Amino acid sequence: MIKVRVASRAQAAQDIVRLDLVCPEGRDLPAFDAGAHVDLFLRNGLTRQYSLCNDPADRGHYRIAVLREPSSRGGSTYVHERLIEGAMLDISLPRNLFALDETAREHLLFAGGVGVTPILAMARRLHALGSPFRFHYCARDRSRAAFLDELAAAPFADAVRLSFDAEPETRLDLDIALADPAPGRRLYVCGPGGFMSHVIDGALARGWAPDQIRKEHFAAAPAPEGENRPFELVIASTGQVVAVAADQTAAQALEAAGVFVPVSCEQGVCGTCLTRVTEGQPDHRDAFQTDAEKAANDQFTPCCSRARTPRLVVDL
């Protein structure tokens, strides 16, 4: 855990606040790679993950940008209302689940809305490496796109393509953007679920291989209404049986039964609560595991996933 201070705060776009976090003693912060994020341990008891968007070569501060979610469960509201300049908070060491493949010949970067944060750090890193890339940034309109002035002034501005729903002439043309899915090229995408599906499905339909595509979700897709059924968890080490009600997550049931599982995002995107399954078939609802990992059915995320079988035996 690292203690940091909010050194500066600014409005990056409509409903998006930008925070620069520094070491209170003035020391450099731990190194990070493009695509990394940190956990913010908020004083309302919540933990939330936010991507670092500054240049990885600059260790004097960490920069994050946070969208105030209309249906916030308390995280983004706390950041917008409580993390003013001078505020102190604890964060985790950076970790990276969305890393660049720096050996690739060329990179295509796709950002939707506040999903620009890890993509911006990637662009800075690729420019420093002299590696060719295209940066496609999409938003509803210019007022909701963060860092536009910064992108216009960036040394890689010529590589940036802006697309806004409110400006049809700027529409993202996937036939052009995703042409030539050569093996040496890599695609990275981050943003709202619908945007990510549009880009990823478009890439696969145009011949891109799944291993050429890297993605980072901000939230897992909501479960269809009416499909939650009760099930049981069996703790492999003790034989304890924990009942999970239809209106309860597995993580909530485990906590109520006194069984500790670390939980962070509560949405199935960070992998903090990933738990080994030794018997039974999970109903995977996370956005963290790959399709191949889900098909193995040997681990699940109790913060959001459930069970297809009446019981899951978990390695706890």
Side-chain angles (χ1 to χ4, degrees):
M1 196 176 293
I2 309 167
K3 189 169 291 294
V4 295
R5 174 174 56 85
V6 179
S8 68
R9 169 188 168 119
Q11 203 70 26
Q14 183 177 334
D15 296 326
I16 299 177
V17 68
R18 184 267 294 162
L19 303 177
D20 285 351
L21 310 176
V22 300
C23 172
E25 290 79 32
R27 297 190 298 269
D28 280 350
L29 292 167
F32 72 95
D33 296 323
H37 69 270
V38 293
D39 294 349
L40 269 60
F41 303 107
L42 305 176
R43 294 189 177 178
N44 61 358
L46 297 177
T47 302
R48 292 293 182 263
Q49 295 75 37
Y50 297 108
S51 298
L52 301 176
C53 59
N54 54 298
D55 190 335
D58 183 358
R59 294 176 54 191
H61 73 287
Y62 291 158
R63 176 169 289 180
I64 62 173
V66 180
L67 172 68
R68 184 166 190 157
E69 297 283 357
S71 56
S72 172
R73 292 170 297 123
S76 67
T77 296
Y78 184 95
V79 171
H80 276 251
E81 295 181 356
R82 304 290 296 276
L83 292 188
I84 60 175
E85 289 189 14
M88 303 290 292
L89 72 153
D90 294 323
I91 65 172
S92 69
L93 288 168
R95 57 179 178 149
N96 202 339
L97 306 172
F98 189 40
L100 278 170
D101 177 1
E102 296 186 356
T103 67
R105 175 175 60 83
E106 188 179 5
H107 308 261
L108 298 182
L109 311 177
F110 290 86
V114 77
V116 71
T117 48
I119 299 295
L120 183 54
M122 289 179 170
R124 298 186 194 282
R125 174 60 178 166
L126 291 171
H127 176 74
L129 292 172
S131 184
F133 67 93
R134 288 286 185 207
F135 184 163
H136 296 276
Y137 185 18
C138 306
R140 196 181 313 171
D141 55 52
R142 292 180 184 270
S143 70
R144 297 177 182 275
F147 306 119
L148 289 185
D149 291 343
E150 198 169 318
L151 287 170
F156 51 81
D158 288 347
V160 178
R161 303 289 183 269
L162 301 176
S163 298
F164 303 106
D165 293 345
E167 301 175 26
E169 68 277 9
T170 67
R171 181 180 64 90
L172 175 64
D173 188 330
L174 291 184
D175 285 333
I176 295 174
L178 297 172
D180 186 23
R185 307 180 85 199
R186 295 291 181 271
L187 187 156
Y188 307 83
V189 58
C190 185
F195 168 79
M196 293 184 61
S197 295
H198 177 61
V199 174
I200 293 170
D201 292 347
L204 295 172
R206 289 165 176 81
W208 289 76
D211 62 3
Q212 291 179 272
I213 302 170
R214 298 190 178 185
K215 59 188 177 181
E216 182 166 69
H217 290 268
F218 285 153
E225 291 186 11
E227 291 195 5
N228 284 357
R229 297 177 181 177
F231 63 99
E232 293 180 334
L233 294 171
V234 180
I235 310 304
S237 61
T238 64
Q240 179 183 356
V241 177
V242 177
V244 183
D247 61 350
Q248 185 181 40
T249 68
Q252 290 168 343
L254 289 167
E255 181 181 13
V259 181
F260 173 74
V261 174
V263 175
S264 184
C265 73
E266 302 179 77
Q267 300 182 83
V269 297
C270 74
T272 299
C273 66
L274 197 65
T275 301
R276 185 167 176 261
V277 175
T278 59
E279 291 182 33
Q281 183 180 3
D283 177 8
H284 298 291
R285 300 184 181 182
D286 66 279
F288 176 77
Q289 298 184 86
T290 65
D291 289 343
E293 288 169 337
K294 290 179 180 179
N297 284 324
D298 59 1
Q299 51 190 358
F300 90 130
T301 50
C303 71
C304 66
S305 296
R306 302 187 68 81
R308 295 189 183 278
T309 48
R311 279 189 168 190
L312 294 180
V313 180
V314 291
D315 190 13
L316 290 170

